[in-house]
């Protein structure tokens, strides 16, 4: 018979009972100090490891979902497509015909304005994507994306690809009007469409970078408006940049959009006119008398926005 235990002492074990089957609860180790904090840190580490363990297929799925989201937004809001085409087409037909009616060398002005119209068309979706990020931050959807076990680069890539595809779709109606403007329908127009898609991607990356770093929607709209106006004027979209003063010429060389517009204009088929295009028609940015090739110009268009997007991705990695 087991002996009675004195207060504060452990009872004698019963030889007929296996101690492994009925352990004394007082023999279990006491929780160490700071267990809750350690558990929270372990859970955070597990979540971070889960994000790092997302396979490449998961990144592609994230890109596809966000791309489809932008496509659904584009298809459901047809009024935005009409409004996005209204102002550029007014420039193309009203301003182009008004200046081109002077005749002479200015008769080619409408065809000269054609690549600039493409730039004006594709910049609309870029600003719209930044506005969507602002609304997602206010609604809480952005926080849900950031806490999901997906890579931040996949989220940014999906958003930028959606904006680039939307910009290319905006450019299609303008390219369909190439014939009446004196630009022949030739396979080279597909290269122009590809250049417009790259330009749309670059502008979307700039818009996303600004939307990630700027928290207030009003500030984003002001900054985007102030940035796009001089960039458009100094890109050669509306007038030739060959005869500008030196201080404006330096601004043209530092503007990535000027290389994009020049690449579109040089890729575009020659106008179907009896007269040869004047010298100012292809007057683009030059480096000490040397004109960079089209591929280099496209690289100069895409590289700065990609660098800004990488810097913005580090800030985007933090939960707002």
């Amino acid at each position: 018979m087991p002996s009675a235990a004195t207060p504060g002492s452990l009872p004698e074990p019963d030889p007929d009972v296996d101690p492994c089957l009925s352990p004394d609860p007082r023999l279990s180790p006491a929780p160490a100090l700071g267990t809750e904090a350690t558990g929270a840190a372990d859970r955070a580490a597990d979540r971070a490891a889960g994000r790092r363990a997302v396979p490449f297929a998961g990144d592609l799925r994230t890109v596809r979902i966000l791309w489809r989201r932008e496509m659904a937004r584009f298809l459901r809001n047809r009024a935005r497509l009409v409004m996005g085409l209204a102002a550029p087409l007014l420039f193309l037909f009203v301003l182009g015909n008004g200046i081109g009616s002077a005749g002479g060398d200015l008769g080619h002005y409408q065809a000269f304005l054609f690549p600039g119209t493409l730039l004006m068309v594709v910049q609309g979706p870029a600003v719209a994507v930044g506005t969507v990020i602002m609304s997602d931050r206010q609604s809480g959807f952005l926080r849900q994306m950031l806490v999901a076990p997906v890579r931040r680069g996949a989220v940014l890539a999906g958003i930028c690809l959606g904006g680039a595809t939307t910009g290319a779709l905006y450019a299609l109606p303008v390219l369909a009007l190439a014939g009446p403007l004196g630009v022949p329908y030739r396979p080279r127009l597909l290269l122009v469409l590809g250049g417009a898609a790259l330009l749309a991607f670059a502008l979307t990356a700039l818009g996303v970078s600004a939307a990630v770093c700027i928290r207030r929607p009003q500030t984003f709209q002001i900054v985007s408006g102030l940035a796009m106006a001089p960039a458009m004027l100094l890109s050669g979209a509306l007038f030739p940049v060959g005869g500008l003063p030196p201080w404006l010429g330096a601004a043209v060389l530092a503007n990535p959009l000027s290389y994009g517009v020049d690449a579109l204009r040089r890729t575009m088929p020659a106008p179907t006119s009896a007269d040869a295009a004047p010298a100012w028609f292809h007057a683009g940015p030059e480096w000490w008398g040397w004109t960079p090739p089209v591929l280099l110009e496209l690289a100069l268009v895409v590289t700065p926005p990609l660098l800004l997007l990488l810097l913005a991705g580090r800030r985007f990695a933090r939960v707002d």
Side-chain angles (χ1 to χ4, degrees):
M1 180 177 179
S3 60
T6 58
S9 63
L10 296 175
E12 292 292 333
D14 191 348
D16 297 330
V17 180
D18 190 354
C20 296
L21 298 178
S22 60
D24 192 333
R26 289 179 296 175
L27 297 177
S28 59
L33 296 177
T35 302
E36 296 181 357
T38 305
D42 292 341
R43 289 191 295 271
D46 292 341
R47 287 195 297 269
R51 295 190 186 115
R52 290 192 298 268
V54 175
F56 185 68
D59 293 339
L60 291 179
R61 183 173 180 270
T62 301
V63 172
R64 179 175 58 87
I65 290 174
L66 293 175
W67 178 84
R68 291 180 60 183
R69 181 172 180 252
E70 293 299 325
M71 292 300 98
R73 193 187 306 276
F74 168 76
L75 294 175
R76 292 175 183 175
N77 193 356
R78 298 179 182 178
R80 191 182 75 178
L81 173 62
V82 175
M83 297 302 296
L85 292 174
L89 291 180
L90 281 176
F91 270 92
L92 184 61
F93 286 101
V94 177
L95 183 64
N97 282 320
I99 297 181
S101 62
D105 290 344
L106 294 179
H108 295 84
Y109 181 75
Q110 196 170 22
F112 175 85
L113 191 61
F114 186 72
T117 305
L118 290 175
L119 174 61
M120 288 187 282
V121 165
V122 300
Q123 76 171 357
V127 179
V129 169
T131 306
V132 169
I133 293 179
M134 290 291 176
S135 61
D136 288 342
R137 178 182 286 120
Q138 291 182 339
S139 64
F141 182 75
L142 183 62
R143 178 179 292 271
Q144 294 178 6
M145 285 195 298
L146 292 178
V147 299
V150 295
R151 288 188 177 92
R152 304 296 177 256
V155 175
L156 293 177
I159 295 173
C160 291
L161 286 178
T165 307
T166 305
L169 293 176
Y170 270 73
L172 282 176
V174 180
L175 290 175
L177 299 173
L181 300 176
V183 180
Y185 294 110
R186 293 180 181 176
R188 293 183 64 178
L189 285 178
L190 296 178
L191 298 178
V192 177
L193 179 61
L198 284 178
L199 197 58
F201 179 83
L203 291 172
T204 305
L206 290 175
V208 169
S209 302
V212 168
C213 299
I214 300 173
R215 293 180 177 271
R216 302 187 62 179
Q218 297 82 0
T219 305
F220 172 77
Q221 294 176 0
I222 294 174
V223 170
S224 60
L226 292 178
M228 289 305 302
M232 174 68 68
L233 292 175
L234 295 174
S235 64
L238 303 178
F239 52 84
V241 297
L244 294 177
W247 63 278
L248 281 179
V252 169
L253 294 178
N255 183 12
L257 297 183
S258 60
Y259 300 99
V261 174
D262 186 62
L264 293 180
R265 188 170 290 122
R266 293 166 62 183
T267 308
M268 184 180 67
T272 56
S273 176
D275 300 329
W280 54 262
F281 190 89
H282 293 291
E286 295 182 353
W287 298 344
W288 297 281
W290 178 70
T291 302
V294 174
L295 292 180
L296 180 57
E297 288 184 328
L298 293 177
L300 293 174
V301 171
V302 178
T303 301
L306 284 179
L307 295 177
L308 291 177
L309 194 63
L310 291 176
L311 295 177
R314 299 176 62 88
R315 182 180 180 89
F316 191 67
R318 297 197 298 267
V319 179
D320 289 342

